[in-house]
Amino acid sequence: MSRTGVRLRDLLGEALGGIGSRPARTALTVLGTVLGIGTLVTTLGVSATAGNQIAGRFDAATATEVTVTVAVPGAVGRAALGNLRRLNGVTAASGYSRSRKGDELPVRSTLLRDPSRAALRKVPVIGTDTAFPAAARAAVATGRFFDQGHLDRRDRVAVLGTEAARQLGVTRVGNQPAVFVDDQAFTVIGILGTSGRTDQALVNNAVVLPWTTAERTVRAGPVDTVLVTTALGAAPLIAAQAPVALSPNDPLALQVSAPPDPDSLRAGVAQDVSGMLLVLGLVSLVVGALGIANVTLVTVLERTAEIGLRRALGARRRHIAAQFLAESMIVGLLGGIVGASTGILAVVVISVVRDWTPVIDGTLAAGAPLTGALVGLVAGLYPASRAAALQPAEALRGPA
Amino acid sequence: MTEVIRLTGVGRSFPGDPPVHVLAGVELTVRRGDYVGIVGPSGSGKSTLLNVLGLLDRPDTGSYLLEGAETTALGDRQRTALRGARIGFVFQSFHLMDYRTVEENVMLGGLYTGLTRTQRRDRAAEALDRVAMSHRRTFLPTRLSGGERQRVAIARALIGAPALLLCDEPTGNLDSVTTGAVLDLFDELRANGTTLLVITHDDTVAGRADRRIRLRDGRPVPVAAGAPR
């Protein structure tokens, strides 16, 4: 008696022959899985793409900004800023002290009796160092910013925020206009542009003085806020290191606000977008699986005589089961491949239309066809067991 | 001459009220090279006997030796293996797969008996040659006449060099001309040493056999030996 093993290649050949004999039906059956896998791949791909897109925009704007608020006055000395600047990833750091909220200093420009202009304004006054424009992301629009020389000499110079300059009627600095802060004259040497930091709208309204000058003239206090800009991706690290660098004795005196981790943000967005569609895709997949199960069952009933013949030719029950499992698995695999392809294509098309960069996970692209095959395999379990259970003598009398 | 089949006291009944005794006390011996025709009207137990002989069904009583080995005690798996390797089936309705070529249909014969693809292809060519169908190798069965289809089915049965060719109404779907051609083929196979057992309701078909057995109410009744050619 010869052995009764059937080679895998022969088994696959028989399975392919089986599904190839009814191409139209196979195509329709495949379609169910194509829809399911296609929806899943499109959903996951589009949400990953959209999430990446939103997070990307977020990165550029705020993911490089760290703000340290000093809760205990005097916890941060000016010298400590040097420690912060030395950290790898810091591109600019500047500390400032500002006049107390609700107790702003009166500021006016030249003594000109102009009834259309309010004589006195309460304006926040900031005393800071030379790194301020970089750290606050406010370029100098007109004139210049003060330098180390101004600081050392405690020069009575001022730089105006863009909104403060408008309110005070200062438009140019060539004629050396003066502003009076608490009735003390300061020469305006520059006007800042709008600050790029969304958390620092204050900068636009402020009068900015060298901190040495502010200390002497308007009794400005110690550093109460430290602005830091970092290299891309360094913000979370700097946020963790900044308190120790600034206030080694009492890091807890500082409150650090840093942007949320871009990765978690991205995942959050992806989750929001995909929840509903994901459910839809899974439902399609289940429907696809039921389709495969149904068609395979019909096929088993139609091919009863063939099953009988194969049993007469020496096929064991497991050979019959394996053949129908292979057939349903191939149908699922085909659906998975076609579905993954159309899904990826859809993601690319949507990305092109929206001017996005398509993001497709390699695992997703590889896993989708395998998922299809698995779906086919599971769907084939019941029909295959039915086929294997047929009695050969009765099956031979069944429909051809 | 060695025995291919020895049935002793084989009985088979089906549940019912009262139970139907389809076969009862069947004694039958077929030797290598025999050409046996079994005839009987419908309901005489022909199909059941065929199923028992083909290891598709198991008798309730008695013993069935196939090439000297007791089969009634074998497990399903061993019976299946024995069936695939030692018995070639020829059916009334041919049981060819319409969407596979003649060659593929014939190659199916060795699929479950451990032959490699190459071996199966070689043997299929040989078997098609024996039934004079080599020229139709790449045809689909739907394009063949009934007689040609049956010859392809016979080739499929021959591919594993079976000990017994079990034919169930092999000419039932054929007209008299093609019936004659198939019966001529049986004669040739017989002349080359194949053991043939043909079950039919047609006396003329059974008449071509060396030995005729008539089934009546589940019991074989020997008939005078068919006229040798």
Side-chain angles (χ1 to χ4, degrees), chain A residues 1 4 31 65 155 194 207 209 225 238 250 304 317 342 345:
Chain A
M1 197 196 308
T4 55
L31 202 59
E65 295 170 1
D155 286 342
T194 310
V207 172
L209 306 177
T225 308
I238 297 301
D250 189 9
T304 303
R317 291 186 193 280
T342 50
L345 206 63

Side-chain angles (χ1 to χ4, degrees), chain A residues 43-221:
Chain A
T43 307
L44 292 175
V46 166
S47 60
T49 300
N52 193 67
Q53 195 63 24
I54 293 163
R57 276 184 197 151
F58 184 82
D59 280 353
T62 57
T64 58
E65 295 170 1
V66 175
T67 306
V68 181
T69 311
V70 184
V72 179
V76 176
R78 292 279 170 188
L81 288 170
N83 299 338
L84 181 61
R85 289 192 186 107
R86 275 202 300 279
L87 294 180
N88 189 21
V90 172
T91 55
S94 171
Y96 68 78
S97 60
R98 57 156 296 184
S99 47
R100 229 163 274 106
K101 220 173 256 172
D103 189 19
E104 313 290 16
L105 295 170
V107 176
R108 60 183 171 83
S109 49
T110 46
L111 282 166
L112 186 70
R113 302 293 177 203
D114 183 350
S116 72
R117 216 177 273 278
L120 285 174
R121 286 181 178 281
K122 301 273 190 180
V123 170
V125 176
I126 288 175
T128 186
D129 51 45
T130 54
F132 185 77
R137 292 218 156 106
V140 178
T142 310
R144 53 168 302 192
F145 203 75
F146 49 79
D147 58 25
Q148 194 60 40
H150 293 112
L151 278 169
D152 292 345
R153 294 189 299 272
R154 303 179 186 220
D155 286 342
R156 294 167 72 118
V157 293
V159 175
L160 305 181
T162 177
E163 187 60 23
R166 200 185 60 75
Q167 287 179 354
L168 291 166
V170 177
T171 53
R172 55 203 174 102
V173 297
N175 56 350
Q176 296 196 308
V179 290
F180 296 85
V181 179
D182 206 14
D183 278 333
Q184 301 174 75
F186 292 85
T187 307
V188 178
I189 59 169
I191 299 173
L192 293 173
T194 310
S195 169
R197 291 187 66 149
T198 48
D199 62 336
Q200 297 298 322
L202 162 79
V203 172
N204 298 329
N205 296 318
V207 172
V208 183
L209 306 177
W211 67 269
T212 48
T213 317
E215 210 168 40
R216 170 173 295 181
T217 56
V218 298
R219 296 174 309 284

Side-chain angles (χ1 to χ4, degrees), chain A residues 3 18 61 63 79-80 98 109 114 146 168 177 179 185-186 194 213 237 253 266 273 278 290-291 303 310 319 350 364:
Chain A
R3 63 191 198 83
R98 57 156 296 184
S109 49
D114 183 350
F146 49 79
L168 291 166
V179 290
F186 292 85
T194 310
T213 317
L237 180 71
R266 192 175 293 133
V273 176
L278 212 56
L290 288 176
R303 284 160 61 185
R310 287 177 186 277
H319 293 144
I350 290 170
L364 179 69

Side-chain angles (χ1 to χ4, degrees), chain A residues 2-3 21 306 310-311 396, chain B residues 83 95 99 112-113 120:
Chain A
S2 53
R3 63 191 198 83
S21 65
E306 180 194 319
R310 287 177 186 277
R311 297 280 277 135
L396 275 167
Chain B
R83 184 200 306 145
H95 283 306
Y99 49 91
Y112 299 104
T113 51
R120 287 194 285 135

Side-chain angles (χ1 to χ4, degrees), chain A residues 31-47 273-288 335-336 338-347 350 364 368:
Chain A
L31 202 59
T33 326
V34 168
L35 285 176
I37 295 284
T39 314
L40 278 180
V41 169
T42 310
T43 307
L44 292 175
V46 166
S47 60
V273 176
S274 55
M276 276 300 290
L277 281 171
L278 212 56
V279 170
L280 200 70
L282 285 174
V283 169
S284 316
L285 204 58
V286 170
V287 172
V338 176
S341 309
T342 50
I344 288 169
L345 206 63
V347 171
I350 290 170
L364 179 69

Side-chain angles (χ1 to χ4, degrees), chain B residues 206-224:
Chain B
R208 297 282 288 264
D210 301 337
R211 185 150 65 95
R212 264 192 297 171
I213 294 163
R214 186 172 295 278
L215 268 185
R216 186 170 294 147
D217 298 328
R219 287 174 185 280
V221 184
V223 183

